[in-house]
Structure formats: structure tokens, C-alpha cells
Amino acid sequence: METTDVQQLFFQHIKSTLAAHLSLVDDIAEILGISNDSAYRRIRGEKTISFDEIQKLCSHYRVSLDQFLHLKSDAIIFNGRINNDSETLFEDYLESVNKNLHVINSFENRHLYFLMKDIPPFVHFQIPELSAFKFYFWTKSILHYESMQKKIFSLDDPSFEKYYLLSNQVIDAYNKVPTTEIWNIESINSTIRQIEFYRDSGLYKSDTDVKLLYEKLEELINHIERQAELGIKFKIGTEPNKNSVSYRLFVNEFVTLDNTLMAEMDNIRLTFINHSVLYFVATRDEQFNDALFTNLDNLMKKSTLISGVGEKERVRFFNQLRDKIHSGQKSLN
């Protein structure tokens, strides 16, 4: 492959990372400090980009150059966030998720595939009480905010106010992406264990708060069941409309899933691998994503589709999830 061809592929890849409303030429010109005409000539391969320019572009767009130079190695390049001690981490996380979902939504042909070890974190954001509980869990026990260490759980904690607007934006964006989720009966366990752990640790004002969380978790499960029945996504408290997107739900009974998320955007695939409970690292590596999609497709073939069809299996599955919730409620008596 000639240098000009590699350079054009390089800029094509950069373009694929941009939201549809952004201009590649304007972006390149601004980053490199050159005119739009000079940017055009580089994008078309008429002028060779320098090593300094390559470094700036790779750093800004988080691009792995070896994809385009065809270096033979077993390395797979991921990018993502590493935890630090800042108490803005959770806001940064919400803003990052929101940004990624808006980029995905900028493509006409888009789809998300989710291997669900746990209920998707964004889905909780539809119910304020569950949102507050997850905000508490993540900031206290995962991100270890110093300001949260001596707090007991309170539904009206004012420190959560800054998260609600962002979390609502996230669930609104998530509900615009056609989605395939693969669950198993264990997918609800982590939320139930979190509720029980704080109860056993004496971190609720009263058992009334615990009871309410179980009720709201069941409300969420009932909504997901209705989405599966109709085969479309929509927000709790609303009804499906002409803009509602497709929702496919599979149940897999023999594989432990791992919260891997794959986005398809036109002819691009992007995989997010879960780490540190809350965060993800991402890769656009074609070989990795092609192999992962093959495994994903095989997993779906070995799973039971319960959305739109399979009423008997769907009812059985959701009744099993509700039984787990009811067991937790009984332990309060």
C-alpha cells in the first residue's frame, strides 16, 4: 500500500470517530494550526503529513498508528480512563458515557450489543430512587469519595443533585440506540447484594428505605419485561411511539457474562471492555472486533430470544428475577 493510500485511510478513520455534525476539515485545521485548504490537501493525500502532525492527531483522536502501518504484533490498543483521587470522577464518567452515546446516535445505522453480567448501569437512571442508591454505591464504595465515607444512605442527599441531569441525558441517549442484550438469571444479583450489604452494615435510616429500593427494583424489572414483550425501548412513565427503537433480549443459561459492550456504527465496530466496576476501555481494532462479533453471534445462537416472541420463556425468566427480589423483601420481616 502506498503512503498516500495509508494517509487517506488514516484520515478516514479519524472521520469515523467524529459526530456527524462536526467537520473533519475544520477539526484538522484547528488541531494542526493550518488553513482549511492545507487541511484538505493532507486529507486527500496531496501533501504528506509530518511526524509532528501525526503525533498531534494520534494524541488528540487517540488513534493507534500501527493499524495503518500494518505492524505485525499481538498488541491490541485500548483507550480509556484510569481512576484517580478526584471527587469529580463520577461526573466525568457520566459526561463520557453521554458523549459516547451521542456519537453512536449520530450514525443512521447503529446498534448496541450488551453481554449483561449486571443490569446496565444507565437503566437504573429511569427511577430516581434507584439512581440515588447507585450514586451512593459508586461514590462511596467504588470511587471511595472521602466525603461519602461517613454517610448513611439518604434518598434526598443534596450531593446527588448534580448527577440527576447528566444521568437523565444518559438514559435518554441510551433509549435512542437499537439494542441487543444478553442476560442470565444472575444479572440482577449484584444490585440485590448491594442493597443487602448496606442493610447489614446499618447504612440505611430505616428498613422503609430498603423496602422501597426492592419495590423500585421490581418496578424496573417489570418495565424491562414490557420492553421485551413489545420488542422496543422506551422510558419508564412513557409510552412507545414512532421514534422508539428496537430492543432484543436473549437469555443465556450456561455462560457467565462480563458486561462487554459492542457498538456498530455503519461499517465501524467499537468494543468497550468493563474494568474497575464502573469504567470501560475501548478499542476499534478490526481483528479484535470481528472475532468478538463472531463469538457474540455464536452466543446469541446458543441463547433463547425472549423479546417479541417466546412468551412462555419470557414469563418464566422474569418471574425468576422477581422471586429473587421477593426473597430479599422477606428477609426484612
Side-chain angles (χ1 to χ4, degrees), residues 228-246:
E229 178 185 357
L230 299 177
I232 50 179
K233 291 169 74 174
F234 55 100
K235 197 172 182 178
I236 287 179
T238 69
E239 290 297 321
N241 57 55
K242 64 180 181 180
N243 296 318
S244 298
V245 299
S246 69

Side-chain angles (χ1 to χ4, degrees), residues 6-54:
V6 174
Q7 184 167 313
Q8 289 174 335
L9 285 174
F10 179 63
F11 282 109
Q12 287 174 16
H13 177 79
I14 290 175
K15 184 177 181 180
S16 74
T17 69
L18 295 178
H21 67 280
L22 296 179
S23 165
L24 175 64
V25 174
D26 291 345
D27 240 34
I28 298 300
E30 181 179 351
I31 293 164
L32 298 183
I34 58 179
S35 67
N36 279 26
D37 181 64
S38 294
Y40 269 120
R41 287 190 288 122
R42 285 163 173 78
I43 292 168
R44 291 194 295 260
E46 296 170 2
K47 178 175 176 56
T48 303
I49 51 178
S50 68
F51 280 110
D52 181 59
E53 290 172 335
I54 292 172

Side-chain angles (χ1 to χ4, degrees), residues 108-254:
E108 182 177 357
N109 299 305
R110 60 196 187 279
H111 200 96
L112 285 176
Y113 297 88
F114 222 145
L115 302 181
M116 301 312 313
K117 179 181 179 182
D118 308 307
I119 299 174
F122 344 117
V123 174
H124 298 88
F125 297 158
Q126 301 177 90
I127 299 179
E129 294 85 355
L130 289 181
S131 294
F133 178 73
K134 287 296 182 176
F135 298 161
Y136 179 80
F137 166 70
W138 288 322
T139 56
K140 180 181 178 70
S141 298
I142 302 304
L143 300 178
H144 304 291
Y145 280 17
E146 185 64 30
S147 61
M148 298 297 295
Q149 294 314 302
K150 295 183 179 180
K151 281 190 177 183
I152 63 172
F153 174 67
S154 173
L155 288 169
D156 56 0
D157 189 325
S159 66
F160 297 154
E161 289 297 325
K162 57 182 175 265
Y163 305 139
Y164 284 115
L165 177 61
L166 280 170
S167 63
N168 281 325
Q169 291 174 354
V170 167
I171 189 58
D172 287 343
Y174 183 67
N175 280 338
K176 292 177 182 176
V177 191
T179 300
T180 296
E181 294 175 356
I182 304 177
W183 289 46
N184 63 31
I185 195 61
E186 308 299 325
S187 298
I188 199 173
N189 286 0
S190 62
T191 296
I192 292 176
R193 282 197 297 266
Q194 290 157 17
I195 293 172
E196 292 176 346
F197 174 80
Y198 289 133
R199 180 198 64 195
D200 296 341
S201 302
L203 292 173
Y204 295 103
K205 286 184 178 179
S206 70
D207 283 347
T208 302
D209 290 342
V210 188
K211 181 180 178 182
L212 180 62
L213 289 175
Y214 280 124
E215 290 172 355
K216 292 301 178 179
L217 182 57
E218 184 169 3
E219 180 182 334
L220 180 63
I221 292 301
N222 292 343
H223 176 71
I224 295 170
E225 181 179 24
R226 185 158 183 248
Q227 284 189 154
E229 178 185 357
L230 299 177
I232 50 179
K233 291 169 74 174
F234 55 100
K235 197 172 182 178
I236 287 179
T238 69
E239 290 297 321
N241 57 55
K242 64 180 181 180
N243 296 318
S244 298
V245 299
S246 69
Y247 178 69
R248 292 194 303 167
L249 179 60
F250 289 84
V251 173
N252 186 287
E253 297 182 347
F254 64 95

Side-chain angles (χ1 to χ4, degrees), residues 262-275:
M262 172 177 279
E264 281 192 321
M265 303 163 287
D266 291 341
N267 60 343
I268 303 163
R269 286 178 179 149
L270 177 63
T271 296
F272 298 86
I273 303 293
N274 183 224
H275 77 93

